[in-house]
Amino acid sequence: MNREMHGSSSTESFIPMSSIASGKGVEVAPDIYSYTTQIVNVCFIGNPDKENSFVLVDAGMPNSASMIIKEAEERFGKEKKPKAIILTHAHFDHIGSIIELVEKWNIPVYVHPLELPYVTGKKNYPTPDGTVEGGLVAKLSPLFPTEAIDLGSHVQALPADGSVPHMPEWEWIHTPGHSPGHISLFRKQDLALIAGDAFVTTKQEYLLDVLEQELEISGPPRYLTTDWASAKRSVEVLQSLHPSVAVTGHGKPVSGEWLSTNLLKLTKNFDEIARPDYGKYV
């Protein structure tokens, strides 16, 4: 029995903020393609030369469904659709177009069990902290939507064994702090990491950094992070994996020496780099 979806549609909650990377994609590996919708990245997982389908990680900003669908069709073909959507977490900028995408493709969505309340209409996220240390984006953050959506029978919890449906070489890792059920995805064979917002490569609190996609290692976006002790532990867990390449929820994909050096720097200096000096969740 199907339960109907409901929640804010992409056309109801457009966020008038974008970056120079919006509408652009980067092939991180033959089967990892990062695509930017306004200020946030989604990932297409699948090699278009070898596979007849793919998996979408996250669902972008509100009002970006048509962008994502167009990019998917250009990369994989108009007759192809993803096998599933995997959510790193359910903040508005990562689920902004998910209802439209699920309606278009009629596919399942997977999240960590602790994120289920936010995508089954049971619980809203806390209000973003407009008082947190940061710039204009932080100040404007209380305007960002935090209401739960309901994906009905389309959503289910990720398997408890750490496996990722339709992504057999990948595992999910619980990386809470930014949200209770935040996850990252890791592939051991080539040390590829999809970090979500556990850490990012563009500071999200400052408007100019966001617009210009200034490359800089940073912790999770401050205005929506409610558990800084867990956020710190999550960064330590990801650094211990020694990823060779990382796609983050915000900012450019990074790899090699830049990634290893800066992720270690973030781990060792998390309180100075990431944790804000003040704010209601500090």
Side-chain angles (χ1 to χ4, degrees):
M1 181 174 66
N2 288 333
R3 190 158 55 86
E4 186 177 349
M5 297 185 294
H6 64 83
S8 296
S9 75
S10 64
T11 57
E12 292 172 346
S13 53
F14 177 69
I15 306 299
M17 184 188 306
S18 195
S19 74
I20 61 172
S22 184
K24 299 178 182 179
V26 178
E27 189 172 85
V28 178
D31 63 346
I32 304 174
Y33 184 74
S34 175
Y35 180 70
T36 305
T37 68
Q38 290 182 242
I39 62 170
V40 69
N41 303 320
V42 302
C43 272
F44 299 96
I45 305 299
N47 188 328
D49 295 328
K50 296 182 179 181
E51 301 167 40
N52 60 12
S53 190
F54 62 100
V55 172
L56 181 67
V57 179
D58 288 339
M61 287 284 281
N63 208 39
S64 64
S66 60
M67 293 174 61
I68 294 171
I69 292 167
K70 181 174 182 290
E71 198 71 9
E73 290 177 347
E74 289 184 356
R75 184 163 175 83
F76 294 95
K78 287 192 174 182
E79 72 283 3
K80 305 293 173 55
K81 69 176 186 178
K83 295 177 181 176
I85 297 174
I86 311 295
L87 293 177
T88 61
H89 60 302
H91 284 155
F92 79 97
D93 51 341
H94 293 256
I95 64 161
S97 298
I98 195 162
I99 289 179
E100 290 81 4
L101 295 176
V102 171
E103 287 177 342
K104 164 74 174 178
W105 288 323
N106 190 27
I107 54 174
V109 178
Y110 296 90
V111 299
H112 189 278
L114 293 177
E115 292 293 288
L116 279 173
Y118 308 111
V119 291
T120 53
K122 296 178 180 178
K123 187 176 181 181
N124 296 337
Y125 277 116
T127 302
D129 183 9
T131 70
V132 76
E133 180 188 4
L136 183 59
V137 179
K139 302 297 183 290
L140 294 174
S141 65
L143 300 175
F144 298 162
T146 57
E147 296 82 5
I149 63 170
D150 189 352
L151 293 175
S153 57
H154 289 278
V155 68
Q156 56 188 290
L158 285 160
D161 62 3
S163 62
V164 183
H166 310 292
M167 294 174 62
E169 297 173 340
W170 294 78
E171 61 182 301
W172 66 263
I173 300 167
H174 189 204
T175 48
H178 186 55
S179 74
H182 189 286
I183 64 160
S184 302
L185 303 175
F186 185 66
R187 185 165 63 184
K188 290 181 179 177
Q189 69 181 40
D190 59 354
L191 305 180
L193 174 67
I194 300 173
D197 284 359
F199 68 91
V200 298
T201 59
T202 293
K203 283 189 173 183
Q204 290 302 292
E205 300 77 30
Y206 299 91
L207 183 60
L208 191 60
D209 289 348
V210 170
L211 298 180
E212 296 185 353
Q213 295 287 282
E214 183 71 24
L215 181 61
E216 183 176 1
I217 197 79
S218 184
R222 290 173 172 176
Y223 42 82
L224 280 169
T225 300
T226 55
D227 184 345
W228 285 99
S230 293
K232 182 177 183 178
R233 287 192 294 270
S234 293
V235 169
E236 291 171 347
V237 167
L238 295 182
Q239 192 279 327
S240 73
L241 300 173
H242 303 290
S244 63
V245 62
V247 179
T248 59
H250 304 272
K252 302 171 183 176
V254 290
S255 61
E257 184 177 350
W258 193 98
L259 172 59
S260 59
T261 299
N262 284 279
L263 188 52
L264 180 60
K265 175 184 173 183
L266 178 62
T267 303
K268 289 184 173 180
N269 302 284
F270 186 87
D271 291 340
E272 291 74 29
I273 296 173
R275 191 192 301 261
D277 289 337
Y278 52 87
K280 65 182 180 180
Y281 300 125
V282 178

